[in-house]
Amino acid sequence: MKIAIDAMGGDHAPDAIVKGALLATQDPSIKFIEIVLVGDENLIKKEFKVNELNGKCSISIIHTHENIGMADSPTTVLKAKQNSSIAVGINLLKEQKVDAFISAGNTGAVMASASLQLGRLKGILRPAIATVFPTKIGPIIMLDAGANVDCKPKNLLQFAIMGDVYVRYIFKNSSPKIALLSIGEENTKGNELTLESAKLITSTPLNFIGNIEGRDIFKGKADVIVCDGFVGNIVLKLAESLAEDMFSLLKKELSKSYLAKIGSLLCKGAFKNFKKSIDYSEYGGAPLLGVKKPCIICHGSSSPQAIKNAIKVAKNFVEQHLNEHISENIKLYNKN
Amino acid sequence: MKIAIDAMGGDHAPDAIVKGALLATQDPSIKFIEIVLVGDENLIKKEFKVNELNGKCSISIIHTHENIGMADSPTTVLKAKQNSSIAVGINLLKEQKVDAFISAGNTGAVMASASLQLGRLKGILRPAIATVFPTKIGPIIMLDAGANVDCKPKNLLQFAIMGDVYVRYIFKNSSPKIALLSIGEENTKGNELTLESAKLITSTPLNFIGNIEGRDIFKGKADVIVCDGFVGNIVLKLAESLAEDMFSLLKKELSKSYLAKIGSLLCKGAFKNFKKSIDYSEYGGAPLLGVKKPCIICHGSSSPQAIKNAIKVAKNFVEQHLNEHISENIKLYNKN
């Protein structure tokens, strides 16, 4: 299996990407894959030297010379920057030279390239970004996290179906609890979109538990949280930032007295674990569900650990034949 | 000035409500007001005894004998429970026997009673709940936090106008920065509602700074954050729960080692301040803007301190003639 990674995408590229790839080659759970780093060969090779690449790693490089910035519009990639790491990576996937593509670069550009170059799976109206959230009872997914700002009930139904398949095959949960994100648990609560979507999802054999509220997202009440990409993107960014803001607030309070400063030294290990458990970037990437080939979108600030985890997600995606299962299920529900 | 308080509303009623009222009478910044506690006289008097009421407090009681539960539908209050503390409180306001009403009870019931019994200010299409959030640079407001699930651009324009007036007169900020909550800072980012709303708000003299993202809410980039009540309610509940969840996660980590346990004893004061700064219920109540009389909605879990702060908010609302300013501004913008 070959997995291509955008070596130029993300706040810490190519450093974090190369390190992440090396971590993956040393992880016993990620065997039998070949990693293809797509990006500026000179910069990547420099990182390899720093990180002491030895002959055992099955990593190759495909050189590109154009850069996509975080501020570049998605159409730039499609039209003007055909030799960027994103455009080349997606093209490798299209031409079946690799089995999956991972990028921590410009999300809009990856999404647009993937949707337009690879195309949607048959029957899928809109692809969706599925974000993984850590909860008390383990990881859950929320979709859509930002691919579609205005949705119709039928889109949310398809997000529910794709989320169900993802959690069944990737998290090995045989009956994922599906919920709609809304403003009250009662089935009379919600906006026009969620009220109509609830009717559609109820009519399927999915394990639909109804509405959950904002306060329930991280409590693990549902395994799949369905919402439109506008709400999902706001929720995702708020959750990420609150974690950061709260940690800096805590640090500020702890620096105010000598006693607290000494105390915080003793708590150092606990603080480190606390920070790690609220760092969403550790949880690998967010798969773009509904396009014809496996694409994983990573957070811009992804660490080497996060990149390694994304490689694991991509590997599972391919091995579990996720797209075949999504297609089967969409076909099944479309028939009913 | 007379302020009526629903003594039966909230998770800790009447205890926390009575204590909050007593705190208010002892606060030098809340002078010259008369507090009217609306609820079960026997229960309220029992609390007074516990809390040693002395003759100096200008607090009176209006007895009611019906209870509204958190699960009661808003129409129950309007139709079946006319002698509940919410129905009686709103009626006192309508008959001009009090100047403002505060409740930590069933939000839907307060909102429905206020909108239907008191009516909307002239020109207002939809009232909105304005929630106060603490940020690095001080308090800001977000509206609507849940009164309207499906909104039109004109509703969001009016929320911006009401929010601007509120921050100018209550927070004494002469030029509040108004922003739309969206999924990207660029003015091309957003859903149909926010894109259309942005055009309307841009055409006013309001200090409109464009879009902000979920990650910017608590950074204090804007003084007034405008969104529909569906998004606002999810954001509010997520923020509240994340604060709680993170604190319990931190406590869990700190309990894992002896060193950390000792350290956390030394940090006790800092932790207390940290917890207080992320406790939104401390920030008084959320005014329901756009109805004809001042109504303040408090969090169900409001502490005595939060109730006291809500009394302060109600007092300011009345003293600053907020509704007159809202009416003037709505009239002004409707003309343009």
Side-chain angles (χ1 to χ4, degrees):
Chain A
M1 186 194 308
K2 279 189 181 181
I3 296 176
I5 310 179
D6 171 8
M8 312 312 284
D11 308 340
H12 314 298
D15 176 27
I17 315 297
V18 172
K19 278 186 188 154
L22 289 170
L23 274 182
T25 62
Q26 287 150 17
D27 187 321
S29 72
I30 313 181
K31 275 182 289 194
F32 311 119
I33 65 159
E34 203 185 316
I35 294 170
V36 182
L37 290 171
V38 186
D40 188 312
E41 197 168 5
N42 290 329
L43 290 174
I44 296 171
K45 280 189 171 164
K46 215 187 267 174
E47 289 299 329
F48 270 133
K49 271 183 198 150
V50 176
N51 292 287
E52 291 178 24
L53 173 72
N54 56 38
K56 288 180 201 159
C57 302
S58 46
I59 298 183
S60 58
I61 299 171
I62 290 185
H63 178 68
T64 60
H65 61 263
E66 278 174 324
N67 279 332
I68 301 289
M70 282 308 205
D72 275 337
S73 83
T75 47
T76 310
V77 187
L78 294 166
K79 288 181 189 163
K81 294 188 175 175
Q82 279 299 310
N83 197 268
S84 63
S85 51
I86 293 175
V88 170
I90 293 285
N91 211 41
L92 287 172
L93 198 52
K94 191 183 176 184
E95 293 177 351
Q96 305 193 42
K97 288 176 182 162
V98 297
D99 302 288
F101 177 61
I102 297 168
S103 177
N106 183 317
T107 302
V110 178
M111 226 161 56
S113 298
S115 300
L116 294 168
Q117 296 292 102
L118 306 172
R120 300 187 302 267
L121 287 169
K122 199 180 165 192
I124 291 288
L125 301 166
R126 303 267 196 97
I129 298 173
T131 305
V132 179
F133 282 142
T135 75
K136 284 175 185 168
I137 57 145
I140 61 152
I141 64 164
M142 178 188 78
L143 72 171
D144 174 30
N148 313 280
V149 287
D150 287 295
C151 289
K152 295 198 164 56
K154 205 160 180 191
N155 302 132
L156 264 59
L157 168 65
Q158 292 198 338
F159 299 166
I161 296 168
M162 293 195 288
D164 174 70
V165 171
Y166 191 84
V167 171
R168 276 195 286 136
Y169 288 91
I170 303 294
F171 297 165
K172 304 291 181 195
N173 173 339
S174 61
S175 180
K177 284 176 284 185
I178 318 281
L180 276 167
L181 183 56
S182 188
I183 59 162
E185 288 187 355
E186 307 87 338
N187 64 8
T188 52
K189 292 276 179 78
N191 60 11
E192 280 173 25
L193 174 66
T194 61
L195 293 174
E196 283 305 309
S197 302
K199 286 181 201 162
L200 288 184
I201 304 174
T202 305
S203 71
T204 69
L206 289 168
N207 182 11
F208 180 53
I209 61 164
N211 293 339
I212 63 163
E213 298 184 79
R215 67 166 67 99
D216 303 319
I217 298 175
F218 288 88
K219 295 208 167 32
K221 283 193 179 179
D223 303 298
V224 178
I225 299 176
V226 176
C227 58
D228 69 55
F230 185 82
V231 170
N233 190 271
I234 289 172
V235 161
L236 172 64
K237 287 177 180 162
L238 171 62
E240 283 173 353
S241 74
L242 266 181
E244 281 168 33
D245 291 352
M246 277 183 203
F247 201 74
S248 71
L249 203 66
L250 177 64
K251 278 212 294 203
K252 197 177 137 196
E253 288 297 339
L254 289 169
S255 69
K256 282 183 182 168
S257 85
Y258 281 109
L259 264 188
K261 273 183 196 167
I262 296 164
S264 63
L265 280 176
L266 299 175
C267 300
K268 213 175 171 186
F271 287 153
K272 209 175 158 188
N273 289 340
F274 169 64
K275 201 180 175 187
K276 206 176 166 185
S277 65
I278 58 174
D279 183 2
Y280 306 117
S281 71
E282 287 300 317
Y283 290 82
L288 180 61
L289 300 179
V291 292
K292 278 185 179 158
K293 302 276 177 183
C295 274
I296 314 293
I297 296 172
C298 293
H299 201 284
S301 67
S302 288
S303 63
Q305 185 68 22
I307 296 296
K308 188 200 83 175
N309 288 340
I311 295 172
K312 212 184 269 184
V313 170
K315 183 176 175 264
N316 277 339
F317 196 123
V318 178
E319 278 179 352
Q320 294 294 325
H321 306 285
L322 210 73
N323 274 346
E324 287 174 34
H325 297 300
I326 289 177
S327 293
E328 278 162 22
N329 278 273
I330 288 288
K331 200 173 156 189
L332 196 73
Y333 289 114
N334 276 350
K335 255 191 198 165
N336 294 338
Chain B
M1 186 194 307
K2 278 188 181 182
I3 296 176
I5 310 179
D6 171 7
M8 311 311 285
D11 308 341
H12 314 297
D15 177 28
I17 315 297
V18 172
K19 277 185 188 154
L22 289 170
L23 274 181
T25 61
Q26 286 150 18
D27 186 321
S29 73
I30 313 180
K31 274 181 289 192
F32 310 121
I33 64 159
E34 203 185 316
I35 294 170
V36 182
L37 290 171
V38 186
D40 187 312
E41 196 167 6
N42 290 328
L43 290 174
I44 296 170
K45 280 189 170 164
K46 217 187 264 175
E47 289 299 329
F48 270 133
K49 270 183 198 151
V50 176
N51 291 287
E52 289 178 24
L53 173 72
N54 55 38
K56 287 180 202 159
C57 303
S58 46
I59 298 183
S60 59
I61 299 172
I62 290 185
H63 179 68
T64 60
H65 61 264
E66 278 173 324
N67 278 332
I68 302 290
M70 282 309 205
D72 275 336
S73 83
T75 47
T76 310
V77 186
L78 293 166
K79 288 180 189 165
K81 293 188 175 175
Q82 279 298 309
N83 197 268
S84 63
S85 52
I86 293 174
V88 170
I90 293 285
N91 211 40
L92 286 171
L93 198 52
K94 189 182 178 184
E95 293 177 351
Q96 306 192 41
K97 288 175 182 163
V98 297
D99 302 289
F101 177 61
I102 297 168
S103 177
N106 182 318
T107 302
V110 177
M111 227 162 56
S113 297
S115 300
L116 294 169
Q117 296 292 102
L118 306 172
R120 300 186 303 267
L121 287 169
K122 199 181 166 191
I124 291 288
L125 300 166
R126 303 269 196 96
I129 298 174
T131 305
V132 179
F133 282 142
T135 76
K136 284 175 185 168
I137 58 143
I140 61 151
I141 64 165
M142 177 188 77
L143 73 171
D144 174 29
N148 312 281
V149 286
D150 287 295
C151 289
K152 295 199 163 57
K154 205 159 181 192
N155 302 133
L156 265 58
L157 168 65
Q158 292 197 340
F159 299 166
I161 297 168
M162 293 194 289
D164 173 71
V165 171
Y166 191 85
V167 171
R168 276 195 285 137
Y169 287 91
I170 303 295
F171 297 165
K172 305 290 180 198
N173 173 339
S174 60
S175 180
K177 284 176 284 187
I178 317 281
L180 276 168
L181 184 56
S182 189
I183 59 163
E185 287 186 357
E186 309 86 338
N187 64 9
T188 52
K189 292 276 179 79
N191 60 10
E192 280 173 24
L193 174 65
T194 60
L195 293 174
E196 283 306 309
S197 303
K199 286 181 201 161
L200 287 184
I201 304 175
T202 305
S203 71
T204 69
L206 289 169
N207 181 12
F208 180 52
I209 60 163
N211 293 339
I212 63 163
E213 297 184 80
R215 68 166 66 100
D216 304 320
I217 298 176
F218 288 88
K219 295 207 167 32
K221 282 193 180 178
D223 303 298
V224 178
I225 299 176
V226 176
C227 58
D228 69 56
F230 185 82
V231 171
N233 191 271
I234 289 172
V235 162
L236 172 63
K237 286 177 179 163
L238 171 62
E240 283 174 352
S241 74
L242 267 181
E244 280 169 35
D245 291 353
M246 277 182 203
F247 201 73
S248 71
L249 203 66
L250 177 64
K251 277 211 294 202
K252 198 177 135 195
E253 288 298 338
L254 289 170
S255 69
K256 282 182 181 169
S257 85
Y258 281 110
L259 263 189
K261 274 183 196 167
I262 296 164
S264 63
L265 280 176
L266 299 174
C267 301
K268 213 175 170 186
F271 287 153
K272 208 175 158 188
N273 289 340
F274 170 62
K275 200 179 175 186
K276 206 175 165 185
S277 65
I278 59 175
D279 183 2
Y280 305 117
S281 71
E282 288 299 317
Y283 289 82
L288 180 62
L289 300 178
V291 292
K292 278 185 179 157
K293 302 276 175 181
C295 273
I296 313 294
I297 296 172
C298 293
H299 200 285
S301 68
S302 288
S303 64
Q305 186 68 22
I307 296 296
K308 188 201 82 176
N309 288 340
I311 295 172
K312 212 184 268 183
V313 170
K315 182 175 176 264
N316 276 339
F317 197 122
V318 177
E319 277 178 355
Q320 294 294 325
H321 306 285
L322 209 72
N323 273 346
E324 287 173 34
H325 297 301
I326 290 176
S327 293
E328 278 163 22
N329 279 273
I330 289 288
K331 199 173 156 188
L332 197 71
Y333 290 114
N334 276 350
K335 254 190 199 167
N336 295 340

